[in-house]
Amino acid sequence: APVVVDAPLRDVHRTRPGMMSSMMRAHAPATTPTTIAGRANRRAAMRVTTTTVTTRAVSDASSVEASGDAAPAPPALESEVGVDYAPFKALLEAGEWEKADDEHRRLMCVLAGEEAELREWVYFTEVSQMPVKDLQTIDALWRFYSKDRFGFSVQRKIWISQKKQWAKFFKKIDWTTGENGDYRKFPQEFQWRADAAPGHMPLTNALRGTQLFEALLEHPAFGPGKPERTSEGSFFEGSSSRETPVRFELPTVGGVLDVTARFGKAAVIFVQELAK
């Protein structure tokens, strides 16, 4: 009989049926108890490793949750008058700073009333009727998505730190350029970036004066509010404020009459001089 095990591969087809399985058995390594035990040990080791990794992942997740390192949740979109702040939030979240500022300006008109919406800008006298909760929602969204870089409350802190001096304040928030403190041209010269100067946004038009901006920064949503007028005709800051009290004395009736008399005498003398 031919020696099938040593036969060349080209002669394999000449072997009798059943010899192929004999060849495979002849070349296959012998299965011993030691080999079986080794396989069992490897499977057990894999199960232990998988269990260890899973346990470690669960432990790490529990540690993160316990340590409070989870990302803070965005501010709630609260409104006293039913305003939808979702589009504004989406623009801030996407880093569309210029578009977010445009939407912010529209929201200011909405909060100021129908007349402001029609004219598309706000009178400083309309600021007092803006709801506290809505202004705080807008401010919280600015601060959250800018990492406390932008917002009315941020601007207020800087304004107070500059002793409420507008020229210094505008320079600090990078609204002016050059030695003369010229206003930046809107919108192309403003810095629509996340790394703009603190307080750079939102924009408030101050070209016609600072009354609107001051009314916003002094709104009860961000501070003690405007000082109350007393029966004596003076203004005082609330006792809860740590800022320097402000007092404005109104002229008395006697003072007005004295000034009028002096002005009248000066006018008479002036006319007499002209007649000479």
Side-chain angles (χ1 to χ4, degrees):
V3 182
V4 177
V5 173
D6 296 329
L9 292 176
R10 65 176 179 272
D11 295 329
V12 171
H13 68 281
R14 299 178 183 176
T15 60
R16 294 193 302 274
M19 284 190 176
M20 181 62 72
S21 59
S22 299
M23 291 170 59
M24 295 176 65
R25 285 195 299 273
H27 288 286
T31 303
T32 62
T34 303
T35 305
I36 296 173
R39 291 176 181 172
N41 290 337
R42 286 196 297 273
R43 291 194 185 99
M46 290 175 64
R47 285 196 295 271
V48 171
T49 302
T50 303
T51 304
T52 302
V53 172
T54 303
T55 304
R56 185 177 300 167
V58 173
S59 177
D60 291 345
S62 301
S63 300
V64 169
E65 184 176 355
S67 62
D69 291 338
L77 305 183
E78 298 178 316
S79 174
E80 296 180 23
V81 290
V83 176
D84 181 16
Y85 293 108
F88 178 55
K89 173 181 178 292
L91 291 170
L92 289 172
E93 191 173 14
E96 296 283 354
W97 300 108
E98 185 174 357
K99 292 180 180 179
D101 191 75
D102 291 338
E103 175 64 8
H104 163 91
R105 207 158 22 253
R106 186 191 71 81
L107 291 171
M108 290 292 101
C109 293
V110 171
L111 296 179
E114 294 182 0
E115 293 184 5
E117 280 191 85
L118 292 174
R119 81 173 87 94
E120 298 184 347
W121 51 279
V122 180
Y123 279 125
F124 75 93
T125 54
E126 295 169 327
V127 172
S128 59
Q129 66 193 36
M130 293 183 177
V132 168
K133 181 61 65 178
D134 288 71
L135 287 179
Q136 289 176 339
T137 295
I138 292 173
D139 183 64
L141 288 169
W142 273 116
R143 287 189 291 105
F144 181 83
Y145 288 106
S146 68
K147 298 180 180 179
D148 284 324
R149 200 171 186 85
F150 307 137
F152 282 131
S153 59
V154 176
Q155 291 175 337
R156 176 181 169 80
K157 289 179 181 179
I158 299 172
W159 183 52
I160 293 174
S161 72
Q162 300 302 306
K163 309 299 181 183
K164 299 185 179 180
Q165 297 181 31
W166 292 104
K168 292 183 178 180
F169 169 65
F170 290 146
K171 183 177 181 180
K172 194 74 174 178
I173 64 175
D174 199 21
W175 280 14
T176 56
T177 59
E179 296 180 357
N180 296 328
D182 297 327
Y183 284 106
R184 290 183 179 275
K185 294 180 181 178
F186 177 83
Q188 64 270 23
E189 291 188 358
F190 282 86
Q191 310 301 307
W192 309 110
R193 307 190 310 264
D195 61 348
H200 194 71
M201 289 177 266
L203 270 60
T204 300
N205 190 344
L207 293 176
R208 294 189 298 269
T210 57
Q211 287 178 303
L212 172 60
F213 206 178
E214 182 176 358
L216 286 166
L217 297 183
E218 293 282 21
H219 194 280
F222 315 116
K226 279 282 189 180
E228 296 290 336
R229 183 188 293 269
T230 69
S231 59
E232 298 178 357
S234 302
F235 292 93
F236 293 94
E237 288 283 0
S239 58
S240 61
S241 173
R242 296 183 180 179
E243 301 166 22
T244 305
V246 180
R247 181 182 177 92
F248 298 99
E249 293 291 347
L250 296 178
T252 62
V253 176
V256 172
L257 293 175
D258 180 65
V259 171
T260 304
R262 291 175 181 272
F263 180 81
K265 289 180 180 180
V268 170
I269 295 173
F270 179 75
V271 172
Q272 289 175 349
E273 291 295 325
L274 288 178
K276 291 182 180 180

